[in-house]
Amino acid sequence: MSTLLIAGSPSERSRSAALLDAVGQRLGARGALVERLHIRDLNPQALLLADAAHRSVARAADLVARARVVVVSTPVYKAAYSGVLKVFLDLLPQAALKDKTVLPLATGGSPHHMLALDYALRPVLQSLGARHVLPGIYATDAQVALLPEGAYQVGAELAGRIDEAVQLLAAETLRHTPAAPRPRFAPVHFSQVRCSV
């Protein structure tokens, strides 16, 4: 399954990116072809001026178009997903997520912002035509610990939820995989049919 991981954090390293990486590692271990898109790396002027034709934005939109599965990760600020993610999603074509399965991920300072996934991000993903938006994963800062060397570590309880989400994502993708066409045989004229009794 071709999977695109979209990092919606304006920071180079973040808890939401660590959550996204954890999902990506598990998908990769299942044999998925995983590509990454960091919105912060797109041309900022093109994003702010809504220049969908800009090379970096058009390339990012092409990555979305080619993927069967999209995993979107964002930090939650003021009970909403990140501004850079909003700007990017606004530039995508109206049916950019048509026939795709989407897994939303979010991180925030406290559990009080967990509804941002369902009330802010999910409606936008559905408006872009997503075939199925899976139940999202929300993690607090305490569940994605900052290690002394500067890396982030996903806690055990959160790792279990990620495992379940990836399993559901794989099952959903396989369930909606079109069946391979059955081989067709050339027609045989009745005079060529041989029977034995």
Side-chain angles (χ1 to χ4, degrees), residues 73-99:
S73 182
T74 179
V76 173
Y77 300 120
K78 295 183 171 59
Y81 56 96
S82 73
V84 293
L85 179 58
K86 170 69 171 152
V87 170
F88 176 69
L89 293 176
D90 285 349
L91 288 177
L92 292 177
Q94 189 59 46
L97 298 178
K98 185 177 189 309
D99 297 328

Side-chain angles (χ1 to χ4, degrees), residues 54-71:
H54 188 276
R55 185 178 58 222
S56 69
V57 176
R59 192 176 322 125
D62 185 54
L63 286 173
V64 173
R66 290 194 324 248
R68 277 191 62 212
V69 173
V70 176
V71 183

Side-chain angles (χ1 to χ4, degrees), residues 9-195:
S9 175
S11 304
E12 184 177 352
R13 291 190 303 179
S14 66
R15 285 178 168 86
S16 63
L19 188 58
L20 189 67
D21 288 343
V23 171
Q25 288 165 3
R26 285 159 174 80
L27 288 170
R30 287 176 171 263
L33 172 63
V34 178
E35 293 187 89
R36 287 173 171 76
L37 169 60
H38 297 273
I39 296 172
R40 70 180 304 279
D41 294 339
L42 302 181
N43 183 284
Q45 183 174 359
L47 286 173
L48 291 177
L49 296 178
D51 183 3
H54 188 276
R55 185 178 58 222
S56 69
V57 176
R59 192 176 322 125
D62 185 54
L63 286 173
V64 173
R66 290 194 324 248
R68 277 191 62 212
V69 173
V70 176
V71 183
V72 180
S73 182
T74 179
V76 173
Y77 300 120
K78 295 183 171 59
Y81 56 96
S82 73
V84 293
L85 179 58
K86 170 69 171 152
V87 170
F88 176 69
L89 293 176
D90 285 349
L91 288 177
L92 292 177
Q94 189 59 46
L97 298 178
K98 185 177 189 309
D99 297 328
K100 299 181 192 310
T101 301
V102 181
L103 174 63
L105 311 171
T107 57
S110 77
H112 301 296
H113 299 296
M114 73 169 48
L115 292 178
L117 272 175
D118 289 328
Y119 291 102
L121 185 55
R122 180 179 294 274
V124 175
L125 299 174
Q126 289 173 326
S127 76
L128 290 170
R131 176 176 44 81
H132 191 184
V133 181
L134 298 176
I137 297 176
Y138 179 85
T140 63
D141 289 353
Q143 293 172 313
V144 187
L146 178 60
L147 301 176
E149 62 271 12
Y152 289 100
Q153 182 178 18
V154 172
E157 184 273 335
L158 179 58
R161 288 195 287 140
I162 293 170
D163 289 337
E164 289 174 12
V166 168
Q167 186 174 358
L168 178 61
L169 185 59
E172 281 296 314
T173 305
L174 290 175
R175 185 167 62 194
H176 294 288
T177 301
R182 296 181 183 220
R184 297 189 67 182
F185 297 98
V188 177
H189 190 272
F190 185 75
S191 65
Q192 296 175 322
V193 175
R194 302 285 183 249
C195 296

